[in-house]
Amino acid sequence: MSRLFALAFAAPMAIVATPAMAQPADAALVQLVTDFVDAERNFDQPRLAALITSDYAEVSPVGELDLHDAFLGFYAPDKKRPVPVTTISEPLVRSYGDAASIIVRLSFEIPGRDGQPARMVSMRASFLAVRQSGKWKIASAQFTPERPRPPVPPAQPAPPAQP
């Protein structure tokens, strides 16, 4: 009876694990997203083609829908331009057999204009991965910019000490 009680108590605790605690099975999916982001940054069209499904669809940060060929066309060698280094953080992976959802935060630094300092920009990216012939590929992605955080107000001076 005590084993049953322990199992009943422990099972719900396992379900509430935080997303920051990556599971070994999730590592391949986070690596898939990392490889995808690196291939985008390097305009590596052949690598991107190998990482996505033949019916890939993407919703860009400005809300445009790009299907497979249009997406790959954006990464043609003649369109290559400088792209800031992108940091991937806060992965949240949900697996459903041969499909998985991967949500990450993508952050990068944008140079300031007219002598202004650079600023950090972040967006959330959601990926749908599917396993085809035993290999994970990205079937779709959606990018949503995060709202800029309001500036932190200056600290108010402490009131004078009362005697």
Side-chain angles (χ1 to χ4, degrees):
M1 183 72 159
S2 63
R3 289 174 106 184
L4 184 58
F5 177 78
L7 181 59
F9 180 76
M13 298 305 281
I15 294 171
V16 297
T18 62
M21 297 166 46
Q23 302 299 318
D26 298 346
L29 292 162
V30 174
Q31 187 61 53
L32 175 66
V33 168
T34 301
D35 292 347
F36 178 85
V37 170
D38 287 344
E40 280 187 320
R41 183 175 177 278
N42 293 310
F43 282 69
D44 187 344
Q45 198 178 44
R47 181 74 177 129
L48 284 168
L51 293 171
I52 63 175
T53 61
S54 61
D55 61 348
Y56 176 81
E58 174 178 298
V59 178
S60 76
V62 295
E64 295 173 349
L65 176 63
D66 295 316
L67 300 180
H68 182 276
D69 292 345
F71 165 77
L72 286 177
F74 183 77
Y75 294 97
D78 63 315
K79 295 182 179 175
K80 189 171 184 173
R81 57 187 169 77
V83 178
V85 174
T86 304
T87 302
I88 299 172
S89 62
E90 302 177 26
L92 173 62
V93 177
R94 302 276 194 246
S95 296
Y96 306 96
D98 288 335
S101 166
I102 308 104
I103 301 171
V104 298
R105 172 187 250 177
L106 302 175
S107 301
F108 46 93
E109 193 172 79
I110 295 193
R113 293 185 185 159
D114 302 323
Q116 295 294 317
R119 62 186 175 97
M120 188 61 74
V121 175
S122 296
M123 69 176 75
R124 295 292 175 169
S126 300
F127 298 89
L128 171 63
V130 293
R131 193 173 5 225
Q132 295 180 336
S133 303
K135 186 174 179 175
W136 287 107
K137 291 194 170 206
I138 297 176
S140 65
Q142 178 165 350
F143 300 90
T144 305
E146 291 183 350
R147 290 183 183 147
R149 294 191 176 125
V152 177
Q156 298 295 322
Q162 297 294 326

PDB file of all heavy atoms in Angstrom, residues 63-102:
ATOM      1  N   GLY A  63       4.669  38.304 -40.285  1.00  0.00           N
ATOM      2  CA  GLY A  63       3.398  37.674 -40.590  1.00  0.00           C
ATOM      3  C   GLY A  63       3.239  37.130 -41.986  1.00  0.00           C
ATOM      4  O   GLY A  63       2.144  36.710 -42.357  1.00  0.00           O
ATOM      5  N   GLU A  64       4.294  37.097 -42.766  1.00  0.00           N
ATOM      6  CA  GLU A  64       4.200  36.567 -44.124  1.00  0.00           C
ATOM      7  C   GLU A  64       4.358  35.052 -44.123  1.00  0.00           C
ATOM      8  O   GLU A  64       5.178  34.515 -43.383  1.00  0.00           O
ATOM      9  CB  GLU A  64       5.284  37.192 -45.007  1.00  0.00           C
ATOM     10  CG  GLU A  64       5.100  38.677 -45.201  1.00  0.00           C
ATOM     11  CD  GLU A  64       6.259  39.328 -45.938  1.00  0.00           C
ATOM     12  OE1 GLU A  64       7.308  38.690 -46.125  1.00  0.00           O
ATOM     13  OE2 GLU A  64       6.109  40.497 -46.303  1.00  0.00           O
ATOM     14  N   LEU A  65       3.576  34.380 -44.960  1.00  0.00           N
ATOM     15  CA  LEU A  65       3.660  32.934 -45.099  1.00  0.00           C
ATOM     16  C   LEU A  65       4.596  32.616 -46.260  1.00  0.00           C
ATOM     17  O   LEU A  65       4.367  33.053 -47.393  1.00  0.00           O
ATOM     18  CB  LEU A  65       2.276  32.335 -45.363  1.00  0.00           C
ATOM     19  CG  LEU A  65       2.248  30.832 -45.613  1.00  0.00           C
ATOM     20  CD1 LEU A  65       2.729  30.071 -44.381  1.00  0.00           C
ATOM     21  CD2 LEU A  65       0.843  30.396 -46.009  1.00  0.00           C
ATOM     22  N   ASP A  66       5.644  31.867 -45.972  1.00  0.00           N
ATOM     23  CA  ASP A  66       6.593  31.434 -46.997  1.00  0.00           C
ATOM     24  C   ASP A  66       6.584  29.917 -47.057  1.00  0.00           C
ATOM     25  O   ASP A  66       6.857  29.248 -46.055  1.00  0.00           O
ATOM     26  CB  ASP A  66       8.012  31.924 -46.673  1.00  0.00           C
ATOM     27  CG  ASP A  66       8.122  33.437 -46.715  1.00  0.00           C
ATOM     28  OD1 ASP A  66       7.577  34.043 -47.655  1.00  0.00           O
ATOM     29  OD2 ASP A  66       8.752  34.012 -45.806  1.00  0.00           O
ATOM     30  N   LEU A  67       6.274  29.377 -48.234  1.00  0.00           N
ATOM     31  CA  LEU A  67       6.296  27.934 -48.425  1.00  0.00           C
ATOM     32  C   LEU A  67       7.696  27.493 -48.823  1.00  0.00           C
ATOM     33  O   LEU A  67       8.588  28.314 -49.051  1.00  0.00           O
ATOM     34  CB  LEU A  67       5.251  27.535 -49.456  1.00  0.00           C
ATOM     35  CG  LEU A  67       3.811  27.908 -49.087  1.00  0.00           C
ATOM     36  CD1 LEU A  67       2.841  27.481 -50.175  1.00  0.00           C
ATOM     37  CD2 LEU A  67       3.418  27.327 -47.736  1.00  0.00           C
ATOM     38  N   HIS A  68       7.895  26.208 -48.902  1.00  0.00           N
ATOM     39  CA  HIS A  68       9.201  25.579 -49.094  1.00  0.00           C
ATOM     40  C   HIS A  68      10.116  26.304 -50.072  1.00  0.00           C
ATOM     41  O   HIS A  68      11.215  26.740 -49.712  1.00  0.00           O
ATOM     42  CB  HIS A  68       8.984  24.127 -49.529  1.00  0.00           C
ATOM     43  CG  HIS A  68      10.233  23.345 -49.715  1.00  0.00           C
ATOM     44  ND1 HIS A  68      10.967  23.363 -50.894  1.00  0.00           N
ATOM     45  CD2 HIS A  68      10.895  22.524 -48.882  1.00  0.00           C
ATOM     46  CE1 HIS A  68      12.016  22.580 -50.772  1.00  0.00           C
ATOM     47  NE2 HIS A  68      11.997  22.049 -49.554  1.00  0.00           N
ATOM     48  N   ASP A  69       9.715  26.435 -51.320  1.00  0.00           N
ATOM     49  CA  ASP A  69      10.613  27.001 -52.334  1.00  0.00           C
ATOM     50  C   ASP A  69      10.893  28.485 -52.111  1.00  0.00           C
ATOM     51  O   ASP A  69      12.020  28.941 -52.304  1.00  0.00           O
ATOM     52  CB  ASP A  69      10.040  26.771 -53.741  1.00  0.00           C
ATOM     53  CG  ASP A  69      10.041  25.288 -54.120  1.00  0.00           C
ATOM     54  OD1 ASP A  69      10.714  24.485 -53.447  1.00  0.00           O
ATOM     55  OD2 ASP A  69       9.337  24.930 -55.097  1.00  0.00           O
ATOM     56  N   ALA A  70       9.878  29.230 -51.703  1.00  0.00           N
ATOM     57  CA  ALA A  70      10.090  30.658 -51.421  1.00  0.00           C
ATOM     58  C   ALA A  70      11.034  30.821 -50.237  1.00  0.00           C
ATOM     59  O   ALA A  70      11.917  31.692 -50.244  1.00  0.00           O
ATOM     60  CB  ALA A  70       8.759  31.349 -51.145  1.00  0.00           C
ATOM     61  N   PHE A  71      10.862  29.996 -49.213  1.00  0.00           N
ATOM     62  CA  PHE A  71      11.748  30.039 -48.054  1.00  0.00           C
ATOM     63  C   PHE A  71      13.189  29.776 -48.476  1.00  0.00           C
ATOM     64  O   PHE A  71      14.099  30.543 -48.148  1.00  0.00           O
ATOM     65  CB  PHE A  71      11.297  29.014 -47.004  1.00  0.00           C
ATOM     66  CG  PHE A  71      12.329  28.732 -45.966  1.00  0.00           C
ATOM     67  CD1 PHE A  71      12.571  29.630 -44.940  1.00  0.00           C
ATOM     68  CD2 PHE A  71      13.087  27.570 -46.010  1.00  0.00           C
ATOM     69  CE1 PHE A  71      13.543  29.380 -43.980  1.00  0.00           C
ATOM     70  CE2 PHE A  71      14.054  27.313 -45.064  1.00  0.00           C
ATOM     71  CZ  PHE A  71      14.284  28.219 -44.043  1.00  0.00           C
ATOM     72  N   LEU A  72      13.413  28.697 -49.220  1.00  0.00           N
ATOM     73  CA  LEU A  72      14.786  28.380 -49.641  1.00  0.00           C
ATOM     74  C   LEU A  72      15.351  29.460 -50.557  1.00  0.00           C
ATOM     75  O   LEU A  72      16.541  29.768 -50.496  1.00  0.00           O
ATOM     76  CB  LEU A  72      14.832  27.018 -50.338  1.00  0.00           C
ATOM     77  CG  LEU A  72      14.702  25.802 -49.417  1.00  0.00           C
ATOM     78  CD1 LEU A  72      14.683  24.522 -50.238  1.00  0.00           C
ATOM     79  CD2 LEU A  72      15.805  25.768 -48.384  1.00  0.00           C
ATOM     80  N   GLY A  73      14.504  30.073 -51.368  1.00  0.00           N
ATOM     81  CA  GLY A  73      14.958  31.132 -52.262  1.00  0.00           C
ATOM     82  C   GLY A  73      15.529  32.320 -51.524  1.00  0.00           C
ATOM     83  O   GLY A  73      16.450  32.989 -52.006  1.00  0.00           O
ATOM     84  N   PHE A  74      15.021  32.579 -50.350  1.00  0.00           N
ATOM     85  CA  PHE A  74      15.531  33.692 -49.545  1.00  0.00           C
ATOM     86  C   PHE A  74      16.983  33.465 -49.141  1.00  0.00           C
ATOM     87  O   PHE A  74      17.729  34.416 -48.925  1.00  0.00           O
ATOM     88  CB  PHE A  74      14.653  33.867 -48.299  1.00  0.00           C
ATOM     89  CG  PHE A  74      15.050  35.037 -47.451  1.00  0.00           C
ATOM     90  CD1 PHE A  74      14.710  36.327 -47.817  1.00  0.00           C
ATOM     91  CD2 PHE A  74      15.784  34.858 -46.289  1.00  0.00           C
ATOM     92  CE1 PHE A  74      15.082  37.418 -47.041  1.00  0.00           C
ATOM     93  CE2 PHE A  74      16.156  35.937 -45.501  1.00  0.00           C
ATOM     94  CZ  PHE A  74      15.806  37.226 -45.883  1.00  0.00           C
ATOM     95  N   TYR A  75      17.405  32.207 -49.060  1.00  0.00           N
ATOM     96  CA  TYR A  75      18.761  31.867 -48.617  1.00  0.00           C
ATOM     97  C   TYR A  75      19.686  31.507 -49.775  1.00  0.00           C
ATOM     98  O   TYR A  75      20.713  30.859 -49.574  1.00  0.00           O
ATOM     99  CB  TYR A  75      18.702  30.752 -47.568  1.00  0.00           C
ATOM    100  CG  TYR A  75      18.028  31.246 -46.320  1.00  0.00           C
ATOM    101  CD1 TYR A  75      16.679  31.008 -46.086  1.00  0.00           C
ATOM    102  CD2 TYR A  75      18.719  32.027 -45.404  1.00  0.00           C
ATOM    103  CE1 TYR A  75      16.045  31.510 -44.954  1.00  0.00           C
ATOM    104  CE2 TYR A  75      18.098  32.538 -44.279  1.00  0.00           C
ATOM    105  CZ  TYR A  75      16.765  32.279 -44.065  1.00  0.00           C
ATOM    106  OH  TYR A  75      16.146  32.777 -42.948  1.00  0.00           O
ATOM    107  N   ALA A  76      19.346  31.962 -50.978  1.00  0.00           N
ATOM    108  CA  ALA A  76      20.217  31.745 -52.132  1.00  0.00           C
ATOM    109  C   ALA A  76      21.556  32.443 -51.890  1.00  0.00           C
ATOM    110  O   ALA A  76      21.604  33.496 -51.241  1.00  0.00           O
ATOM    111  CB  ALA A  76      19.550  32.286 -53.396  1.00  0.00           C
ATOM    112  N   PRO A  77      22.653  31.876 -52.408  1.00  0.00           N
ATOM    113  CA  PRO A  77      23.981  32.458 -52.172  1.00  0.00           C
ATOM    114  C   PRO A  77      24.101  33.929 -52.575  1.00  0.00           C
ATOM    115  O   PRO A  77      24.779  34.699 -51.902  1.00  0.00           O
ATOM    116  CB  PRO A  77      24.908  31.577 -53.005  1.00  0.00           C
ATOM    117  CG  PRO A  77      24.182  30.281 -53.151  1.00  0.00           C
ATOM    118  CD  PRO A  77      22.720  30.631 -53.164  1.00  0.00           C
ATOM    119  N   ASP A  78      23.410  34.347 -53.633  1.00  0.00           N
ATOM    120  CA  ASP A  78      23.522  35.738 -54.082  1.00  0.00           C
ATOM    121  C   ASP A  78      22.777  36.712 -53.172  1.00  0.00           C
ATOM    122  O   ASP A  78      22.925  37.930 -53.308  1.00  0.00           O
ATOM    123  CB  ASP A  78      23.020  35.884 -55.524  1.00  0.00           C
ATOM    124  CG  ASP A  78      21.555  35.547 -55.676  1.00  0.00           C
ATOM    125  OD1 ASP A  78      21.112  34.519 -55.108  1.00  0.00           O
ATOM    126  OD2 ASP A  78      20.838  36.301 -56.351  1.00  0.00           O
ATOM    127  N   LYS A  79      21.985  36.191 -52.231  1.00  0.00           N
ATOM    128  CA  LYS A  79      21.251  37.051 -51.298  1.00  0.00           C
ATOM    129  C   LYS A  79      21.916  37.125 -49.927  1.00  0.00           C
ATOM    130  O   LYS A  79      21.373  37.745 -49.015  1.00  0.00           O
ATOM    131  CB  LYS A  79      19.817  36.556 -51.155  1.00  0.00           C
ATOM    132  CG  LYS A  79      19.039  36.675 -52.455  1.00  0.00           C
ATOM    133  CD  LYS A  79      17.619  36.236 -52.281  1.00  0.00           C
ATOM    134  CE  LYS A  79      16.880  36.393 -53.608  1.00  0.00           C
ATOM    135  NZ  LYS A  79      15.544  35.879 -53.558  1.00  0.00           N
ATOM    136  N   LYS A  80      23.070  36.488 -49.799  1.00  0.00           N
ATOM    137  CA  LYS A  80      23.741  36.453 -48.507  1.00  0.00           C
ATOM    138  C   LYS A  80      24.113  37.855 -48.040  1.00  0.00           C
ATOM    139  O   LYS A  80      24.569  38.681 -48.816  1.00  0.00           O
ATOM    140  CB  LYS A  80      25.004  35.588 -48.581  1.00  0.00           C
ATOM    141  CG  LYS A  80      25.619  35.337 -47.225  1.00  0.00           C
ATOM    142  CD  LYS A  80      26.730  34.303 -47.298  1.00  0.00           C
ATOM    143  CE  LYS A  80      27.239  34.021 -45.906  1.00  0.00           C
ATOM    144  NZ  LYS A  80      28.189  32.927 -45.893  1.00  0.00           N
ATOM    145  N   ARG A  81      23.857  38.100 -46.754  1.00  0.00           N
ATOM    146  CA  ARG A  81      24.174  39.376 -46.136  1.00  0.00           C
ATOM    147  C   ARG A  81      24.603  39.113 -44.696  1.00  0.00           C
ATOM    148  O   ARG A  81      24.340  38.032 -44.171  1.00  0.00           O
ATOM    149  CB  ARG A  81      22.973  40.316 -46.179  1.00  0.00           C
ATOM    150  CG  ARG A  81      21.733  39.747 -45.526  1.00  0.00           C
ATOM    151  CD  ARG A  81      20.519  40.633 -45.738  1.00  0.00           C
ATOM    152  NE  ARG A  81      19.304  39.987 -45.353  1.00  0.00           N
ATOM    153  CZ  ARG A  81      18.868  39.817 -44.118  1.00  0.00           C
ATOM    154  NH1 ARG A  81      19.578  40.252 -43.108  1.00  0.00           N
ATOM    155  NH2 ARG A  81      17.734  39.218 -43.860  1.00  0.00           N
ATOM    156  N   PRO A  82      25.220  40.083 -44.041  1.00  0.00           N
ATOM    157  CA  PRO A  82      25.622  39.861 -42.651  1.00  0.00           C
ATOM    158  C   PRO A  82      24.401  39.668 -41.749  1.00  0.00           C
ATOM    159  O   PRO A  82      23.395  40.363 -41.899  1.00  0.00           O
ATOM    160  CB  PRO A  82      26.359  41.146 -42.268  1.00  0.00           C
ATOM    161  CG  PRO A  82      26.667  41.834 -43.553  1.00  0.00           C
ATOM    162  CD  PRO A  82      25.647  41.382 -44.554  1.00  0.00           C
ATOM    163  N   VAL A  83      24.507  38.724 -40.862  1.00  0.00           N
ATOM    164  CA  VAL A  83      23.435  38.422 -39.922  1.00  0.00           C
ATOM    165  C   VAL A  83      24.056  38.333 -38.532  1.00  0.00           C
ATOM    166  O   VAL A  83      25.103  37.705 -38.370  1.00  0.00           O
ATOM    167  CB  VAL A  83      22.746  37.083 -40.285  1.00  0.00           C
ATOM    168  CG1 VAL A  83      21.669  36.721 -39.291  1.00  0.00           C
ATOM    169  CG2 VAL A  83      22.182  37.128 -41.692  1.00  0.00           C
ATOM    170  N   PRO A  84      23.450  38.942 -37.530  1.00  0.00           N
ATOM    171  CA  PRO A  84      24.038  38.879 -36.189  1.00  0.00           C
ATOM    172  C   PRO A  84      24.002  37.459 -35.617  1.00  0.00           C
ATOM    173  O   PRO A  84      23.164  36.646 -36.001  1.00  0.00           O
ATOM    174  CB  PRO A  84      23.156  39.817 -35.360  1.00  0.00           C
ATOM    175  CG  PRO A  84      21.886  39.943 -36.112  1.00  0.00           C
ATOM    176  CD  PRO A  84      22.211  39.710 -37.559  1.00  0.00           C
ATOM    177  N   VAL A  85      24.916  37.193 -34.714  1.00  0.00           N
ATOM    178  CA  VAL A  85      24.931  35.908 -34.020  1.00  0.00           C
ATOM    179  C   VAL A  85      23.639  35.789 -33.224  1.00  0.00           C
ATOM    180  O   VAL A  85      23.209  36.735 -32.573  1.00  0.00           O
ATOM    181  CB  VAL A  85      26.161  35.809 -33.090  1.00  0.00           C
ATOM    182  CG1 VAL A  85      26.110  34.538 -32.260  1.00  0.00           C
ATOM    183  CG2 VAL A  85      27.441  35.875 -33.905  1.00  0.00           C
ATOM    184  N   THR A  86      23.024  34.634 -33.300  1.00  0.00           N
ATOM    185  CA  THR A  86      21.753  34.389 -32.622  1.00  0.00           C
ATOM    186  C   THR A  86      21.969  33.446 -31.453  1.00  0.00           C
ATOM    187  O   THR A  86      22.624  32.415 -31.601  1.00  0.00           O
ATOM    188  CB  THR A  86      20.736  33.772 -33.601  1.00  0.00           C
ATOM    189  OG1 THR A  86      20.588  34.632 -34.720  1.00  0.00           O
ATOM    190  CG2 THR A  86      19.386  33.559 -32.940  1.00  0.00           C
ATOM    191  N   THR A  87      21.411  33.808 -30.312  1.00  0.00           N
ATOM    192  CA  THR A  87      21.462  32.965 -29.123  1.00  0.00           C
ATOM    193  C   THR A  87      20.122  32.260 -28.966  1.00  0.00           C
ATOM    194  O   THR A  87      19.073  32.900 -29.050  1.00  0.00           O
ATOM    195  CB  THR A  87      21.738  33.812 -27.866  1.00  0.00           C
ATOM    196  OG1 THR A  87      22.961  34.518 -28.048  1.00  0.00           O
ATOM    197  CG2 THR A  87      21.819  32.946 -26.623  1.00  0.00           C
ATOM    198  N   ILE A  88      20.173  30.963 -28.752  1.00  0.00           N
ATOM    199  CA  ILE A  88      18.961  30.166 -28.538  1.00  0.00           C
ATOM    200  C   ILE A  88      18.877  29.850 -27.052  1.00  0.00           C
ATOM    201  O   ILE A  88      19.841  29.374 -26.454  1.00  0.00           O
ATOM    202  CB  ILE A  88      19.008  28.864 -29.360  1.00  0.00           C
ATOM    203  CG1 ILE A  88      19.095  29.197 -30.846  1.00  0.00           C
ATOM    204  CG2 ILE A  88      17.800  27.993 -29.048  1.00  0.00           C
ATOM    205  CD1 ILE A  88      19.334  27.990 -31.726  1.00  0.00           C
ATOM    206  N   SER A  89      17.719  30.135 -26.457  1.00  0.00           N
ATOM    207  CA  SER A  89      17.548  29.849 -25.034  1.00  0.00           C
ATOM    208  C   SER A  89      16.118  29.419 -24.746  1.00  0.00           C
ATOM    209  O   SER A  89      15.249  29.487 -25.620  1.00  0.00           O
ATOM    210  CB  SER A  89      17.914  31.074 -24.192  1.00  0.00           C
ATOM    211  OG  SER A  89      17.050  32.157 -24.491  1.00  0.00           O
ATOM    212  N   GLU A  90      15.880  29.012 -23.515  1.00  0.00           N
ATOM    213  CA  GLU A  90      14.564  28.654 -23.001  1.00  0.00           C
ATOM    214  C   GLU A  90      13.813  27.637 -23.866  1.00  0.00           C
ATOM    215  O   GLU A  90      12.643  27.836 -24.198  1.00  0.00           O
ATOM    216  CB  GLU A  90      13.711  29.911 -22.806  1.00  0.00           C
ATOM    217  CG  GLU A  90      14.331  30.926 -21.878  1.00  0.00           C
ATOM    218  CD  GLU A  90      13.511  32.195 -21.747  1.00  0.00           C
ATOM    219  OE1 GLU A  90      12.273  32.160 -21.938  1.00  0.00           O
ATOM    220  OE2 GLU A  90      14.121  33.242 -21.453  1.00  0.00           O
ATOM    221  N   PRO A  91      14.466  26.522 -24.242  1.00  0.00           N
ATOM    222  CA  PRO A  91      13.748  25.543 -25.064  1.00  0.00           C
ATOM    223  C   PRO A  91      12.629  24.861 -24.289  1.00  0.00           C
ATOM    224  O   PRO A  91      12.772  24.537 -23.113  1.00  0.00           O
ATOM    225  CB  PRO A  91      14.841  24.536 -25.443  1.00  0.00           C
ATOM    226  CG  PRO A  91      15.845  24.642 -24.344  1.00  0.00           C
ATOM    227  CD  PRO A  91      15.817  26.078 -23.901  1.00  0.00           C
ATOM    228  N   LEU A  92      11.517  24.703 -24.959  1.00  0.00           N
ATOM    229  CA  LEU A  92      10.378  23.956 -24.431  1.00  0.00           C
ATOM    230  C   LEU A  92      10.012  22.938 -25.498  1.00  0.00           C
ATOM    231  O   LEU A  92       9.619  23.315 -26.611  1.00  0.00           O
ATOM    232  CB  LEU A  92       9.200  24.896 -24.156  1.00  0.00           C
ATOM    233  CG  LEU A  92       7.884  24.227 -23.746  1.00  0.00           C
ATOM    234  CD1 LEU A  92       8.047  23.453 -22.448  1.00  0.00           C
ATOM    235  CD2 LEU A  92       6.788  25.266 -23.627  1.00  0.00           C
ATOM    236  N   VAL A  93      10.173  21.661 -25.187  1.00  0.00           N
ATOM    237  CA  VAL A  93       9.947  20.590 -26.158  1.00  0.00           C
ATOM    238  C   VAL A  93       8.781  19.735 -25.691  1.00  0.00           C
ATOM    239  O   VAL A  93       8.717  19.329 -24.525  1.00  0.00           O
ATOM    240  CB  VAL A  93      11.216  19.722 -26.327  1.00  0.00           C
ATOM    241  CG1 VAL A  93      10.959  18.567 -27.294  1.00  0.00           C
ATOM    242  CG2 VAL A  93      12.391  20.573 -26.790  1.00  0.00           C
ATOM    243  N   ARG A  94       7.881  19.466 -26.613  1.00  0.00           N
ATOM    244  CA  ARG A  94       6.756  18.561 -26.368  1.00  0.00           C
ATOM    245  C   ARG A  94       6.772  17.517 -27.485  1.00  0.00           C
ATOM    246  O   ARG A  94       6.635  17.870 -28.660  1.00  0.00           O
ATOM    247  CB  ARG A  94       5.419  19.308 -26.412  1.00  0.00           C
ATOM    248  CG  ARG A  94       5.302  20.431 -25.422  1.00  0.00           C
ATOM    249  CD  ARG A  94       4.869  19.885 -24.074  1.00  0.00           C
ATOM    250  NE  ARG A  94       4.434  20.964 -23.220  1.00  0.00           N
ATOM    251  CZ  ARG A  94       5.069  21.317 -22.112  1.00  0.00           C
ATOM    252  NH1 ARG A  94       6.147  20.696 -21.766  1.00  0.00           N
ATOM    253  NH2 ARG A  94       4.610  22.289 -21.363  1.00  0.00           N
ATOM    254  N   SER A  95       6.949  16.260 -27.122  1.00  0.00           N
ATOM    255  CA  SER A  95       7.012  15.181 -28.108  1.00  0.00           C
ATOM    256  C   SER A  95       5.709  14.404 -28.131  1.00  0.00           C
ATOM    257  O   SER A  95       5.113  14.141 -27.083  1.00  0.00           O
ATOM    258  CB  SER A  95       8.165  14.236 -27.778  1.00  0.00           C
ATOM    259  OG  SER A  95       9.391  14.920 -27.886  1.00  0.00           O
ATOM    260  N   TYR A  96       5.302  14.037 -29.351  1.00  0.00           N
ATOM    261  CA  TYR A  96       4.077  13.279 -29.569  1.00  0.00           C
ATOM    262  C   TYR A  96       4.366  12.179 -30.586  1.00  0.00           C
ATOM    263  O   TYR A  96       3.947  12.275 -31.746  1.00  0.00           O
ATOM    264  CB  TYR A  96       2.955  14.188 -30.073  1.00  0.00           C
ATOM    265  CG  TYR A  96       2.712  15.386 -29.177  1.00  0.00           C
ATOM    266  CD1 TYR A  96       3.305  16.619 -29.457  1.00  0.00           C
ATOM    267  CD2 TYR A  96       1.919  15.271 -28.048  1.00  0.00           C
ATOM    268  CE1 TYR A  96       3.094  17.710 -28.623  1.00  0.00           C
ATOM    269  CE2 TYR A  96       1.700  16.357 -27.207  1.00  0.00           C
ATOM    270  CZ  TYR A  96       2.291  17.571 -27.502  1.00  0.00           C
ATOM    271  OH  TYR A  96       2.091  18.651 -26.678  1.00  0.00           O
ATOM    272  N   GLY A  97       5.132  11.190 -30.196  1.00  0.00           N
ATOM    273  CA  GLY A  97       5.489  10.112 -31.110  1.00  0.00           C
ATOM    274  C   GLY A  97       6.425  10.622 -32.192  1.00  0.00           C
ATOM    275  O   GLY A  97       7.548  11.031 -31.899  1.00  0.00           O
ATOM    276  N   ASP A  98       5.950  10.632 -33.437  1.00  0.00           N
ATOM    277  CA  ASP A  98       6.780  11.073 -34.565  1.00  0.00           C
ATOM    278  C   ASP A  98       6.592  12.547 -34.897  1.00  0.00           C
ATOM    279  O   ASP A  98       6.931  12.994 -35.994  1.00  0.00           O
ATOM    280  CB  ASP A  98       6.486  10.228 -35.807  1.00  0.00           C
ATOM    281  CG  ASP A  98       7.044   8.815 -35.677  1.00  0.00           C
ATOM    282  OD1 ASP A  98       8.008   8.622 -34.912  1.00  0.00           O
ATOM    283  OD2 ASP A  98       6.516   7.894 -36.334  1.00  0.00           O
ATOM    284  N   ALA A  99       6.053  13.309 -33.958  1.00  0.00           N
ATOM    285  CA  ALA A  99       5.910  14.760 -34.116  1.00  0.00           C
ATOM    286  C   ALA A  99       6.327  15.414 -32.804  1.00  0.00           C
ATOM    287  O   ALA A  99       6.227  14.815 -31.734  1.00  0.00           O
ATOM    288  CB  ALA A  99       4.473  15.136 -34.454  1.00  0.00           C
ATOM    289  N   ALA A 100       6.827  16.640 -32.908  1.00  0.00           N
ATOM    290  CA  ALA A 100       7.244  17.368 -31.708  1.00  0.00           C
ATOM    291  C   ALA A 100       7.130  18.864 -31.951  1.00  0.00           C
ATOM    292  O   ALA A 100       7.312  19.342 -33.072  1.00  0.00           O
ATOM    293  CB  ALA A 100       8.678  17.015 -31.330  1.00  0.00           C
ATOM    294  N   SER A 101       6.820  19.567 -30.879  1.00  0.00           N
ATOM    295  CA  SER A 101       6.785  21.021 -30.884  1.00  0.00           C
ATOM    296  C   SER A 101       7.995  21.512 -30.112  1.00  0.00           C
ATOM    297  O   SER A 101       8.263  21.024 -29.007  1.00  0.00           O
ATOM    298  CB  SER A 101       5.492  21.482 -30.206  1.00  0.00           C
ATOM    299  OG  SER A 101       5.553  22.851 -29.900  1.00  0.00           O
ATOM    300  N   ILE A 102       8.728  22.446 -30.701  1.00  0.00           N
ATOM    301  CA  ILE A 102       9.895  23.035 -30.041  1.00  0.00           C
ATOM    302  C   ILE A 102       9.696  24.539 -30.039  1.00  0.00           C
ATOM    303  O   ILE A 102       9.544  25.153 -31.100  1.00  0.00           O
ATOM    304  CB  ILE A 102      11.216  22.697 -30.763  1.00  0.00           C
ATOM    305  CG1 ILE A 102      11.361  21.187 -30.982  1.00  0.00           C
ATOM    306  CG2 ILE A 102      12.410  23.226 -29.973  1.00  0.00           C
ATOM    307  CD1 ILE A 102      11.088  20.762 -32.376  1.00  0.00           C
TER     308      ILE A 102
END
